[in-house]
Amino acid sequence: MKPSLAKGTRDFTAQEVSRRKYIINILQNNFELFGFQPLETPSFENLSTLTGKYGEEGDRLIFKILNSSINEAKEEKKHQMLQDFQRALDKPFSSESLTDKALRYDLTVPFARFVAMNHGKLTFPFKRFQIQPVWRADRPQKGRYREFYQCDADVVGSESLLQEVELVQLYLKSFADLKVPVTIHMNNRKILSGLAEYAGITDKLIDFTVALDKLDKIGKEGVVKELLEREISQESIDKLDFLFSQSDDALENLLQLKEKFAGNEIGLKGVEELEFVLTQSMNLGVDMQNLVFNITLARGLDYYTGAIFEVKADEVAMGSIGGGGRYDNLTEVFGVKNIPGIGISFGLDRIYLVMEELNLFPEEASSKIEYLFANFGGEETTEALKLIMQLRAKGISAELYPENAKINKQFTYAEKKGIKNLVFLGEEEIKNNTVTFKNLEAGEQKTVSLDEFLG
């Protein structure tokens, strides 16, 4: 059998794991600085928990798990059940009869489920961060995988727009710490609802936002074509044509919307909310070049109700490396009302690709062993192990070559593993309480006292 990876998944080498850990540590540190507490949820949820929350396209990307009654069936029954399953594929059927669980699509809906189940025990506003993998049955491509990590920060139990302002700060500080130059694109779902009302397509809001959300991928012509295919009239599309020719001045664009939204209550409310977030962010010193009002930003998830965010790297051609928004009604589907929420997500895998392309990882982000002790056998091996124990107690990485092999072989091992120093603790060194080591990066060799070596 030839070994292979499942499509859309990856193995991670020691260097990749270390670099991912570097990103995660910075994000986690900032989450905690901003008052968020950690939470973890199961890898899979009941299918009913996930479906109907992500929109038509999102629901199609949910990885469903075959019902345990099929997995646990005896062999003689399993064949018949799988035949029934195949026949069911050729006609309408209830998916719940074949699958009742699914791998989580994101971290937000499982979080909403957790809040609904535990709201009587939580102190609101409740702020949590979560760093875990998610799964999507998507078409793999650069920066897009079927298994990937999300790093989320959410606040529930507060309608205050100051939460939006603080999440903008969290984004900017985190990416500044990672040294990744970014632009945060912002919009408001109420503005999109207002645009639908303005164009007379309120009943087509989801169709409108799903098509608009693809502007970056398919361009204006593609969006217009899709709107027509979704039975939105040319007259309505003409009224929305101004969306594709916005100025660079966010406040000027908001002023234009105020004029178009005269008498449009929900649209004006969205403009007011976005204006507050932009103004407060500017008051806190945010450069408006880093915070853009993008009126075509839709983020095609059905659960957003207010502010929506999308973060893009300035110097790399990549999709969004972060995103999020306000979802004031999400816990209602679990029977718990009046728990508004807002959250953002950092795309770990895409952030990694951006940092790699821009050569932003510092040397300490790579896992390297400080010392390899050459193995000379006998008493020298015992003394080397004693010294290695002392180094490890100081938090310094060290290992002994496991066999008394030729020194050239031990050299090659150290070089291939990227070990910084090769240590020689032979009979002469033990007698004189000294240590000889060679820095393999600089090519320098020196002998120092044992005390100096241990520092």
Side-chain angles (χ1 to χ4, degrees):
M1 175 181 168
K2 184 178 180 181
S4 62
L5 278 170
K7 198 172 184 180
T9 65
R10 296 152 295 160
D11 292 320
F12 297 108
T13 64
Q15 183 184 64
E16 289 168 331
V17 170
S18 297
R19 288 179 168 185
R20 287 164 67 87
K21 191 175 177 182
Y22 170 78
I23 297 171
I24 288 171
N25 286 343
I26 285 177
L27 296 181
Q28 182 168 328
N29 181 59
N30 281 317
F31 291 155
E32 292 172 349
L33 282 176
F34 278 69
F36 293 86
Q37 296 180 311
L39 174 72
E40 292 189 357
T41 59
S43 298
F44 60 91
E45 298 274 350
N46 290 323
L47 180 61
S48 58
T49 297
L50 303 178
T51 52
K53 316 301 189 304
Y54 305 109
E56 176 187 332
E57 296 197 14
D59 279 357
R60 283 203 297 267
L61 300 181
I62 293 173
F63 261 118
K64 299 178 180 68
I65 300 172
L66 199 63
N67 196 309
S68 56
S69 63
I70 294 178
N71 289 328
E72 294 168 6
K74 291 182 179 179
E75 284 303 318
E76 60 269 22
K77 290 184 179 179
K78 190 176 291 187
H79 181 68
Q80 181 61 46
M81 294 177 79
L82 289 173
Q83 279 188 326
D84 293 341
F85 175 75
Q86 185 61 47
R87 283 196 297 271
L89 291 176
D90 299 325
K91 62 182 180 180
F93 69 100
S94 169
S95 63
E96 285 75 11
S97 64
L98 300 171
T99 174
D100 57 5
K101 296 179 181 64
L103 295 175
R104 59 171 173 248
Y105 177 92
D106 72 354
L107 301 178
T108 305
V109 171
F111 173 55
R113 188 265 309 149
F114 169 85
V115 172
M117 290 179 65
N118 297 279
H119 65 281
K121 306 171 189 175
L122 302 176
T123 301
F124 293 106
F126 178 62
K127 303 172 74 171
R128 84 85 172 84
F129 74 86
Q130 196 168 344
I131 301 174
Q132 287 186 281
V134 299
W135 293 266
R136 295 183 187 177
D138 210 345
R139 184 170 61 86
Q141 54 187 287
K142 182 182 178 182
R144 188 183 293 273
Y145 307 99
R146 289 180 169 177
E147 179 186 59
F148 58 96
Y149 266 73
Q150 284 188 340
C151 310
D152 284 15
D154 291 71
V155 187
V156 292
S158 172
E159 293 181 337
S160 171
L161 294 176
L162 291 175
Q163 304 294 356
E164 278 86 332
V165 176
E166 182 155 272
L167 290 174
V168 168
Q169 300 296 311
L170 176 56
Y171 260 146
L172 292 173
K173 184 179 186 308
S174 298
F175 282 112
D177 290 349
L178 292 168
K179 297 180 172 54
V180 176
V182 298
T183 301
I184 303 175
H185 293 248
M186 284 190 64
N187 199 1
N188 191 295
R189 198 75 174 197
K190 295 183 180 74
I191 289 177
L192 293 169
S193 296
L195 288 169
E197 185 176 318
Y198 169 74
I201 53 171
T202 302
D203 61 328
K204 294 280 188 180
L205 174 61
I206 299 302
D207 291 302
F208 165 55
T209 55
V210 167
L212 194 62
D213 196 45
K214 299 176 182 177
L215 181 63
D216 283 352
K217 299 174 186 174
I218 62 178
K220 176 184 174 181
E221 288 185 9
V223 170
V224 170
K225 181 183 177 185
E226 184 161 333
L227 290 173
L228 289 169
E229 289 172 352
R230 291 175 178 267
E231 299 181 352
I232 293 175
S233 71
Q234 185 64 54
E235 181 184 358
S236 295
I237 294 172
D238 290 342
K239 289 192 75 172
L240 295 168
D241 189 66
F242 74 96
L243 295 179
F244 305 106
S245 56
Q246 295 288 293
S247 78
D248 294 332
D249 189 324
L251 297 179
E252 180 184 318
N253 292 333
L254 286 172
L255 184 61
Q256 181 188 35
L257 275 182
K258 282 183 182 179
E259 295 171 359
K260 292 184 181 295
F261 285 165
N264 185 328
E265 186 177 342
I266 191 167
L268 288 173
K269 181 65 174 172
V271 170
E272 178 188 329
E273 290 180 2
L274 186 54
E275 194 171 35
F276 176 87
V277 176
L278 291 172
T279 303
Q280 287 295 323
S281 296
M282 284 190 289
N283 290 341
L284 292 170
V286 174
D287 188 334
M288 287 307 291
Q289 288 187 327
N290 300 122
L291 192 59
V292 173
F293 167 36
N294 183 350
I295 197 171
T296 63
L297 175 63
R299 291 193 65 79
L301 295 177
D302 285 357
Y303 55 67
Y304 288 132
T305 58
I308 41 181
F309 306 95
E310 195 157 274
V311 183
K312 296 188 178 181
D314 290 344
E315 299 174 10
V316 177
M318 179 77 65
S320 63
I321 59 175
R326 179 166 284 279
Y327 48 91
D328 283 347
N329 305 318
L330 196 52
T331 58
E332 286 188 19
V333 299
F334 301 114
V336 180
K337 296 183 178 181
N338 302 320
I339 304 183
I342 182 169
I344 59 173
S345 180
F346 293 78
L348 173 63
D349 300 280
R350 287 188 175 184
I351 293 170
Y352 183 103
L353 290 174
V354 168
M355 293 183 66
E356 187 175 52
E357 190 164 330
L358 297 178
N359 196 28
L360 294 176
F361 286 108
E363 185 179 345
E364 61 266 25
S366 296
S367 177
K368 283 195 175 182
I369 298 162
E370 192 72 25
Y371 296 106
L372 172 70
F373 280 69
N375 189 328
F376 295 116
E379 181 191 354
E380 289 93 332
T381 299
T382 302
E383 293 303 316
L385 287 170
K386 289 179 182 178
L387 190 48
I388 287 170
M389 286 178 63
Q390 293 181 68
L391 288 171
R392 289 172 179 169
K394 292 174 173 287
I396 300 170
S397 58
E399 66 171 283
L400 174 72
Y401 192 81
E403 295 149 1
N404 181 9
K406 291 182 179 179
I407 198 65
N408 284 346
K409 186 175 181 180
Q410 300 188 50
F411 257 113
T412 301
Y413 174 82
E415 288 172 346
K416 285 185 175 180
K417 283 194 72 173
I419 296 172
K420 294 181 180 179
N421 299 285
L422 183 59
V423 181
F424 308 100
L425 192 64
E427 183 180 343
E428 194 69 22
E429 282 84 7
I430 293 170
K431 184 174 73 175
N432 298 321
N433 279 328
T434 59
V435 174
T436 300
F437 65 95
K438 182 169 186 175
N439 185 305
L440 299 180
E441 294 175 347
E444 297 174 355
Q445 181 171 313
K446 58 183 176 179
T447 300
V448 298
S449 70
L450 189 58
D451 290 340
E452 184 182 345
F453 179 71
L454 290 171

